[in-house]
Amino acid sequence: MLNAVYRLVAPRRFEVEFTEIELHNVIVRPTHLSICRADQRYYQGTRPAEVLAKKLPMALIHEGIGQVVYDEAGEFQPGQRVVMIPNTPTEPDTVIAENYLRSSRFRASGFDGFMQDYVEMGRDRLVCLPPDIDLRVAAFTELITVSVHAISRFDRIAHSRRERVGIWGDGNLGYITALLFHTMFPGVELSIFGVDENKLADFAFAEETYLVKDIPKDLVVDHAFECVGGNGAQMAIDQMIDHIAPEGTMALLGVSENHVPINTRMVLEKGLRLFGSSRSGREDFVRTVSLFAENRELVGNLQNLIGSVIEVGSIADMKEAFETDIRRAFGKTVMVWKN
Ligand SMILES: NC(=O)C1=CN([C@@H]2O[C@H](COP(=O)(O)OP(=O)(O)OC[C@H]3O[C@@H](n4cnc5c(N)ncnc54)[C@H](OP(=O)(O)O)[C@@H]3O)[C@@H](O)[C@H]2O)C=CC1
Ligand SMILES: O=C(CO)[C@H](O)[C@H](O)COP(=O)(O)O
Ligand SMILES: [Zn+2]
């Protein structure tokens, strides 16, 4: 079967390559794709030159849903809407999660992502979506699974005093992590720390929000999540260490291109636990899709994150979607994939 793969060949330049796709496993036609910060780092060329040289050309996008067009085993029906799991393990492991195995591959980071007419997927890399789900929200399911994964790990690692939890970052990941935390632990008070009053106003379900320049000196949280990344990560981690109670747990989710210095003296003195959380695996997708089906209010709040919805049927449209996303301060850009 003929396929078209739309690869980023250089910053801000997509090219199409026509390839043959063999009718193996499950063939999915992507329908709704959502742009992640990681895609933007490739699109804008802000990753180091040696990384770009190694990874490009590559089809971007690891957040997406589609419809099954063919299943060699006949388990998925044609037309079934599915969310696609970008992490692709190559070996089983009973201890280490699939997303931390060094042998796993991740779409749009190690190999082609979802900007293709058709994608061949292993059947365990697909999870069926509820029939009435908002497809624009479902498009960024992967980002939601990242929060679900981090919160699940937090639950295993953090001690049991959970009166107040702080979340640093007033962007998309901060919003989703706060919302999912509120959904999974409704009794815990949430304090959100960000840089923009308008963005903080959207966290209506949280107990309190603070501008990071105005945090009261005596404010204390039991545990904290960092959802900032980039150049802001250092200041955020510094503040988290200052405002966390002894023996608190800090989850680090933001991706930074440069090494971030950390106040290890206070990490030691307070006996803190720091853990990194990256990506997600099948069990996080299954749990997230169940939450969609069970919790209408959650999906309603996630709709606040739908930013731009752009029909994409050409390379010019792809560029337009990425450029629109750059101009957007908050919210997700969803490409309705018409190729
Ligand atoms: N661990 C994982 O698997 C994943 C990690 N990520 C990473 O998480 C990070 C955040 O992603 P995303 O939410 O999409 O990006 P956003 O840019 O939407 O969010 C970051 C937010 O943090 C704000 N900010 C900047 N400095 C501070 C500060 N000192 N304290 C609090 N907030 C601050 C930013 O404001 P402003 O824009 O004004 O600077 C912005 O609103 C990125 O590095 C991304 O790559 C994303 C997906 C998965
Ligand atoms: O967005 C992510 C997962 O949803 C991660 O940030 C992304 O996997 C990092 O990838 P890369 O190493 O290519 O920047
Ligand atoms: Zn991502």
Side-chain angles (χ1 to χ4, degrees), residues 280-321:
S280 57
R282 181 177 171 85
E283 67 179 278
D284 306 300
F285 278 79
V286 170
R287 191 164 183 197
T288 303
V289 170
S290 302
L291 287 170
F292 286 165
E294 289 157 12
N295 195 325
R296 300 270 145 192
E297 195 186 341
L298 170 68
V299 177
N301 275 317
L302 288 166
Q303 285 169 334
N304 294 335
L305 271 188
I306 300 165
S308 309
V309 179
I310 299 176
E311 289 210 354
V312 171
S314 67
I315 284 185
D317 294 341
M318 293 170 203
K319 279 197 73 172
E320 180 52 31

Side-chain angles (χ1 to χ4, degrees), residues 36 38 41-42 47 55 62 106 108-109 142 146 255 279:
C36 175
R41 290 191 288 268
Y42 292 112
R47 297 217 57 190
K55 300 213 182 201
H62 55 265
F106 193 82
S109 181
E142 189 272 344
V146 165
V255 176
R279 305 175 177 172

Side-chain angles (χ1 to χ4, degrees), residues 11-31:
R12 289 185 148 86
R13 211 172 90 221
F14 293 109
E15 281 180 9
V16 61
E17 190 191 340
F18 295 96
T19 59
E20 269 302 316
I21 193 165
E22 298 206 5
L23 292 180
H24 281 150
N25 295 314
V26 187
I27 309 292
V28 177
R29 186 177 63 81
T31 58

